[in-house]
Amino acid sequence: MSSDLEKAATAGTSYGDYEPIIGIEIHAQLSTASKMFCHSSTAFGHADNENICEVCTAMPGALPVINKKAVEFSVKMGLALGCEIRKRSVFSRKQYFYPDLPKGYQISQFDLPLCEHGRVDFLLGTEKKSISITRAHMEEDAGKSTHHGEYSLINLNRAGTPLLEIVSGPDIRGPAEAAEYARTVHKILRYLDVCDGNLEEGSFRCDCNVSVRKKGEKELRTRVEIKNINSFRFVEKAVEYEILRQIDCYETGEKIHQETRLYDPDKNRTFMMRSKEEAHDYRYFPDPDLLPLEIEESFIDAVRKTLPELPLKRAERFQQEYKIPEYDSLVLTQERDLADYYEAVVVAAGGNGKSASNWVMTDLMRELNESKKTVAQSPITASNLGKMIALIDKGTISGKIAKTVFSEMWTSGKEPEVIVKEKGLVQITDTSAIEKAIDDVIAASPNEAAAYRGGKDKLFGFFVGQVMKATKGQASPDMVNQLLKKKLSGS
C-alpha cells in the first residue's frame, strides 16, 4: 500500500486523485419479545437451541405469522428517518444455502420494502452532513455456526429474530463520516427504544459497501462489501483500509472483484470471504405463506404520535432553551436517558442550564464511568442534583462545599438539604466571622503579609487558601476575596 496515500488518509487530507464512495447497510435487531414469524423468545444468552420452535427451525407444515410489534417498530424507525411508509409491502424468499439457515431461504423484503426514501442528518465536527436512506426493510436473522476443527455446531436461537435493514445511499465520502453516520442511526434506534443497540451481542451490525473512483468520474466502479462490523471504530478503520487497498489495486493495474470481505481488527486488514452475489442469484419471489403486509394510515398516524424528539433537534433546543454551548448539547443528547436526566436537573435547579450541564458532564459522568453504571442506575437522582445546584445559587453552600455534598449524595443517596444540615455545611456569610478568620491568618503570616504589601501579588492566593482552610471551606469565597483585599491593603 502506498505510504504516501496512507499518510494522507491518516492526516485526514485526501486520497490523491481518488474519491471514496461508501454506502452502509445496518442490521438492527428489533426489541420484540418474540421472533419475526413465531412465538419463540428473542432473549440473548439462553442455552443453545433453547429458543426455537417448528417455525424458526423450518419443520414441515409450520407456517409463519407476522409479528405486529416488529411492524410497529419498523414503521416508527422509518418515520424517524423521514421515510415514506408503504401501505402495501411484500415479504419475499431470498434463496441461499447456509447450514444455519434451516429453511434454505431467508424471509426478507425485496422490490416492495416497508420504508423508502428517507434521510439522516448529523454533525461531523462542525460540518452538517445529510445521508440519504434508500430503504429500510424487514427481514429475519439466520442462526449461528461455531466451528471446532473438523466439525461445526449450529445454534438456532437467533434464527428468525426480527431485523430492520437500513440501507443508505452511496453518499458517504470518508471513513470518519461512515462511522459517524452509523453512530447517528444507532443513537436514533436507541432513542426510539426499538433496538437495544448492543454491538457485542450482535443487535447492531454494519455492512459497508466501498468503492473508489477518480475525482470527476460519474460512474460508480466495482464495490466491495465488508460484512458484519460491530464497532464504530472498526467501521472507520475497515473502510479506510479498503479505500487504500482499492486505490493501490487501481494504481498497480489489479482488478477489483465484486466480493464480500471480512475485517480482521487484530491485523487491521480486510480479506475475502466469498464472491458477491447479484440480486438475481438469490431468486427472490414473494413468500406464498405470507400475505402482503397492508397498513392503514390510522396505524401510521398512531405510531407517529409516539415519536420522541430526536437527538439533533433536541441538542439544538438545549442550546436555545438552556443557553449551553453546542458541545455540551451534543454530549448531553448522546443517550435519551441522559438527556432526560439533564432536563430534570435543570428543572429542579430552577433553570440554571449551564451549571446543570457542568455537574452532569463532569462530576456525574465521571462517577458513572468509574463505577460502570448507567445514568438510570445513578445513586444521585436528577431532583437531588438540581436541588444541590439551587443551594449553590442561593448562597447556602459554596461550590467547594458542593463537592462534599455531591460525594455524600453519591454514597448515601440522601437529599442535599439533609446532608448540609447533618454535617453543618451551611456557607459562612457572617462578615464578622470571616474578618476574624482573615485577621488571624494575617497575624500568623507576617512575612507573607509584608511580601504581599511589597508587591508579591501572587501571595494573595496563599491567604485565600489559609482563610478557607481556617473556615473548613465554608466561608463565602466572594466575601473572602473582597474582605481579604481590604485587610491586606490596610483599608
Side-chain angles (χ1 to χ4, degrees):
M1 185 175 296
S2 163
S3 59
D4 289 342
L5 276 172
E6 197 164 12
K7 287 177 183 174
T10 304
T13 52
S14 70
Y15 297 99
D17 295 333
Y18 289 89
E19 171 185 49
I21 309 294
I22 304 158
I24 297 183
E25 299 168 10
I26 288 173
H27 292 84
Q29 179 179 326
L30 299 171
S31 299
T32 56
S34 58
K35 293 184 179 179
M36 184 71 228
F37 301 110
C38 65
H39 65 272
S40 294
S41 171
T42 57
F44 182 82
H46 284 192
D48 291 346
N49 295 311
E50 182 177 345
N51 299 335
I52 60 176
C53 71
E54 297 84 353
V55 174
C56 56
T57 55
M59 293 292 107
L63 295 176
V65 177
I66 297 173
N67 185 329
K68 184 179 178 182
K69 182 60 77 174
V71 176
E72 177 189 325
F73 285 176
S74 298
V75 170
K76 195 170 184 178
M77 186 60 183
L79 291 171
L81 296 173
C83 289
E84 299 169 13
I85 308 298
R86 275 186 183 276
K87 303 287 178 54
R88 185 176 187 275
S89 63
V90 171
F91 285 99
S92 297
R93 291 186 177 183
K94 183 181 181 182
Q95 321 284 329
Y96 59 99
F97 175 75
Y98 284 133
D100 53 17
L101 189 68
K103 290 194 288 283
Y105 60 85
Q106 177 190 29
I107 301 178
S108 181
Q109 293 188 312
F110 178 49
D111 54 341
L112 297 172
L114 182 63
C115 315
E116 292 181 298
H117 312 311
R119 185 159 291 282
V120 170
D121 296 331
F122 58 92
L123 291 174
L124 183 64
T126 57
E127 189 178 359
K128 190 168 185 177
K129 296 285 183 180
S130 188
I131 304 299
S132 66
I133 300 296
T134 303
R135 56 189 283 152
H137 64 260
M138 303 176 70
E139 64 182 26
E140 60 176 348
D141 209 348
K144 183 178 180 181
S145 302
T146 53
H147 306 289
H148 305 269
E150 295 181 349
Y151 66 94
S152 296
L153 298 174
I154 306 295
N155 182 351
L156 294 178
N157 278 352
R158 182 176 279 280
T161 298
L163 301 177
L164 185 67
E165 181 173 337
I166 303 162
V167 183
S168 84
D171 305 340
I172 302 168
R173 291 294 178 268
E177 191 175 328
E180 195 56 36
Y181 163 78
R183 282 192 195 93
T184 301
V185 174
H186 180 264
K187 196 189 308 180
I188 294 172
L189 284 162
R190 285 180 52 79
Y191 255 70
L192 301 183
D193 201 21
V194 299
C195 170
D196 65 19
N198 192 315
L199 292 109
E200 292 181 355
E201 295 177 2
S203 301
F204 184 94
R205 313 185 303 262
C206 297
D207 298 345
C208 300
N209 291 289
V210 180
S211 66
V212 297
R213 66 185 177 189
K214 283 289 185 70
K215 290 178 180 174
E217 287 183 355
K218 300 298 181 189
E219 296 296 320
L220 296 176
R221 294 191 183 186
T222 305
R223 65 184 166 88
V224 164
E225 180 184 48
I226 313 171
K227 197 80 176 166
N228 284 338
I229 308 176
N230 64 349
S231 152
F232 303 122
R233 187 165 64 90
F234 292 163
V235 165
E236 186 167 355
K237 293 172 79 69
V239 167
E240 181 173 299
Y241 176 87
E242 188 56 28
I243 292 168
L244 298 175
R245 185 189 74 84
Q246 291 187 26
I247 293 174
D248 257 11
C249 287
Y250 285 125
E251 288 295 292
T252 57
E254 189 177 338
K255 186 177 180 183
I256 299 292
H257 299 281
Q258 183 164 317
E259 60 190 15
T260 298
R261 298 177 74 87
L262 291 177
Y263 175 67
D264 183 339
D266 294 330
K267 296 178 181 176
N268 189 30
R269 61 182 291 269
T270 65
F271 60 92
M272 182 181 171
M273 178 184 178
R274 61 173 184 264
S275 60
K276 175 70 178 173
E277 297 87 348
E278 299 284 358
H280 62 260
D281 293 324
Y282 291 119
R283 294 173 292 121
Y284 282 99
F285 66 85
D287 192 308
D289 291 336
L290 287 165
L291 291 171
L293 178 61
E294 297 192 349
I295 299 177
E296 295 180 351
E297 189 65 39
S298 58
F299 179 81
I300 298 172
D301 286 342
V303 174
R304 185 180 283 110
K305 289 176 182 172
T306 67
L307 287 177
E309 186 180 27
L310 296 179
L312 194 56
K313 287 289 183 189
R314 199 169 190 183
E316 291 170 356
R317 180 171 63 79
F318 279 11
Q319 292 169 52
Q320 295 170 3
E321 192 168 334
Y322 303 130
K323 312 300 179 192
I324 59 175
E326 181 184 63
Y327 174 79
D328 292 20
S329 71
L330 293 174
V331 171
L332 292 167
T333 53
Q334 286 295 310
E335 296 283 346
R336 186 175 172 184
D337 283 351
L338 180 63
D340 290 345
Y341 183 97
Y342 166 72
E343 290 214 86
V345 172
V346 176
V347 170
N352 190 338
K354 186 66 183 93
S355 187
S357 76
N358 289 343
W359 280 96
V360 171
M361 289 171 57
T362 53
D363 298 76
L364 183 75
M365 291 182 74
R366 182 192 64 239
E367 293 294 339
L368 291 175
N369 289 334
E370 289 179 357
S371 59
K372 302 188 185 308
K373 292 180 184 291
T374 66
V375 70
Q377 298 168 325
S378 170
I380 301 177
T381 65
S383 172
N384 281 347
L385 184 54
K387 288 177 184 174
M388 188 199 77
I389 293 170
L391 290 177
I392 300 170
D393 291 344
K394 289 176 188 171
T396 306
I397 58 174
S398 66
K400 184 178 176 63
I401 289 175
K403 297 285 184 183
T404 303
V405 175
F406 181 91
S407 178
E408 182 64 24
M409 285 199 299
W410 181 267
T411 304
S412 68
K414 292 181 179 177
E415 295 191 1
E417 296 92 337
V418 174
I419 295 169
V420 169
K421 186 176 180 181
E422 285 180 350
K423 294 187 174 293
L425 296 175
V426 174
Q427 183 169 244
I428 300 171
T429 55
D430 182 340
T431 306
S432 60
I434 296 174
E435 282 186 324
K436 182 178 185 310
I438 291 173
D439 289 341
D440 291 345
V441 166
I442 292 175
S445 310
N447 294 335
E448 288 81 359
Y452 176 82
R453 288 165 178 149
K456 289 190 176 181
D457 296 343
K458 290 183 179 177
L459 281 170
F460 187 76
F462 162 78
F463 286 105
V464 171
Q466 292 299 307
V467 174
M468 295 306 290
K469 183 178 178 182
T471 58
K472 298 179 180 177
Q474 291 178 245
S476 164
D478 290 342
M479 293 182 70
V480 169
N481 276 286
Q482 292 172 16
L483 294 171
L484 192 55
K485 281 180 183 174
K486 288 182 181 176
K487 292 281 184 181
L488 285 171
S489 65
S491 59

